[in-house]
Amino acid sequence: MEGQDREALARRLVDTYSDQLLRLAYSLLNNVPDAQDVCQEALLKRLDHAPIFESREHERAWLIRVTINLCKNLRRSPWRTRTVGLDTVAEQAAFQPEEGGVLEEVQQLPAKYREVLVLYYYMGYDTNEIADILGSRAEAVRARMSRARQKLRLGLEVQGYGKLSR
């Protein structure tokens, strides 16, 4: 790919996907700098490998899958489990969930529940599409969504939102 074509592609990728990927990564990692690194790495993978996509939606799904995998890899890395992040000793990051809010409760859920909630409610995928992205069955995604909602409901009730209706 020529330099100008590569630069145009890079601009399009950043303009089109960076905000969504950053928010997805943040929702899975709860850490702004790590989310920024993952977002950048996902976009660079797209630039470097340049797979052929059937549509922009196919490209978006590929980038989301790559972002989720990078987040999982980062959470599993020995470096992350043996170090203390600067965010524990520095000021709070630029954006944090509102204290006592729904987003804060979502951030408290285990990653496997957060990812389905984010893909469904924020990214707008249905359960069949989420199953394709995560490489699992639609029934498993729906079960995980149900468990995630139950955990979220319980957490919100504990926070003082009262008994939440189904």
Side-chain angles (χ1 to χ4, degrees):
M1 184 181 296
E2 289 184 33
Q4 288 181 334
D5 292 341
R6 185 175 167 86
E7 188 174 325
L9 176 60
R11 275 202 183 101
R12 182 183 66 79
L13 291 173
V14 169
D15 292 344
T16 307
Y17 302 112
S18 63
D19 187 56
Q20 292 176 352
L21 298 179
L22 179 62
R23 290 175 186 274
L24 174 62
Y26 176 74
S27 71
L28 297 175
L29 298 171
N30 294 330
N31 182 298
V32 174
D34 286 346
Q36 290 169 333
D37 290 346
V38 163
C39 178
Q40 181 177 347
E41 191 172 343
L43 292 172
L44 286 172
K45 280 185 182 290
R46 168 62 182 93
L47 263 180
D48 291 341
H49 299 293
I52 306 293
F53 295 107
E54 299 165 8
S55 65
R56 291 278 171 100
E57 188 56 37
H58 182 211
E59 179 181 59
R60 178 178 181 237
W62 185 88
L63 282 165
I64 288 172
R65 179 72 256 162
V66 168
T67 301
I68 290 170
N69 287 340
L70 289 169
C71 289
K72 286 179 179 179
N73 292 345
L74 184 61
R75 283 195 313 256
R76 279 194 293 254
S77 79
W79 172 258
R80 185 173 171 96
T81 58
R82 293 186 191 130
T83 61
V84 176
L86 289 177
D87 58 329
T88 59
V89 293
E91 291 183 28
Q92 275 194 324
F95 61 94
Q96 292 291 325
E98 182 181 310
E99 201 169 312
V102 174
L103 183 57
E104 183 180 40
E105 280 303 313
V106 170
Q107 298 295 355
Q108 301 303 316
L109 294 174
K112 67 182 183 178
Y113 297 131
R114 280 196 317 259
E115 70 186 14
V116 293
L117 289 177
V118 169
L119 289 172
Y120 185 81
Y121 289 109
Y122 177 74
M123 304 297 277
Y125 285 105
D126 66 34
T127 53
N128 293 325
E129 293 169 321
I130 294 170
D132 288 341
I133 289 170
L134 298 178
S136 65
R137 295 184 349 247
E139 296 80 22
V141 169
R142 285 190 280 276
R144 195 178 291 176
M145 288 280 295
S146 177
R147 283 187 222 108
R149 288 183 191 121
Q150 287 173 346
K151 288 181 177 296
L152 184 59
R153 186 177 298 114
L154 288 173
L156 290 171
E157 287 173 0
V158 168
Q159 290 293 326
Y161 285 92
K163 184 96 170 122
L164 299 175
S165 63
R166 291 184 176 229

